[in-house]
Amino acid sequence: AEPGVASDDLHVTNGFEFDGSDAGTSHTRSIGDVKVIGRYTGFSDEHNFGLQLGVKLPTGSYTETFNGGPIAGQPLDRGLQPGSGTTDLILGAFKFTSLSQDWDYFTQATAQLPLNSRADYKPGISVNLNVGFRYLGFEQVVPQLQVNSRITAKDSGANASPDDSGGKTLYLSPGVTFAVS
């Protein structure tokens, strides 16, 4: 780890040789890409179904370099940069409603579609699918459980690392909501 940098703020890579000869570290506190998303819920009187339309703006840096190790000064992998350099379209749909007096649920599907490439790099298309349940039977505490999945296509372009990008993830996220005051 670098002096003065907390280890949880540091990215470390083995590089392509996997023997430490091309290992590198990176660290940044810069802002990433910003998403602006609008929601429309006027399809029903309950306003519990809606569509999302948005854009991911290329506000994050995509030119960060490794700042430690034998490859210090070389460009950080594009898929690990704070920003992609691309503008992406965001499309989604969601629904939330009651299952019973004590149970609610929500579902959401969102796609993120890169509209352009930047400096020979285009991130892969991604789709997020989420479902969550919450129990309202307690007075002060609302336990909840979410299942979140993400499917991402491989990045493309001369500056992409297609073999190290894309994939499928599934998260089980328990949680609780409670009033502070």
Side-chain angles (χ1 to χ4, degrees), residues 82-169:
S84 67
T86 63
T87 301
D88 300 359
L89 178 65
I90 300 169
L91 301 169
F94 61 91
K95 181 174 180 158
F96 56 90
T97 193
S98 294
L99 290 171
S100 69
Q101 179 179 343
D102 291 336
W103 288 94
D104 285 352
Y105 82 95
F106 78 91
T107 58
Q108 177 174 295
T110 308
Q112 186 167 316
L113 312 155
L115 298 176
N116 61 344
S117 62
R118 172 80 52 94
D120 273 331
Y121 175 78
K122 188 174 188 178
I125 293 170
S126 67
V127 175
N128 291 314
L129 305 169
N130 309 303
V131 62
F133 299 91
R134 64 184 191 153
Y135 180 71
L136 305 168
F138 303 127
E139 282 187 37
Q140 300 293 325
V141 176
V142 179
Q144 41 201 4
L145 183 66
Q146 291 184 33
V147 178
N148 306 302
S149 64
R150 180 179 174 101
I151 302 165
T152 306
K154 294 185 178 294
D155 300 340
S156 60
N159 287 320
S161 300
D163 291 341
D164 296 330
S165 65
K168 300 172 187 169
T169 57

Side-chain angles (χ1 to χ4, degrees), residues 9-33:
D9 291 335
L10 195 62
H11 165 77
V12 180
T13 186
N14 283 328
F16 293 106
E17 299 300 324
F18 298 105
D19 63 2
S21 64
D22 63 349
T25 60
S26 64
H27 175 266
T28 183
R29 291 187 185 263
S30 63
I31 188 168
D33 290 341

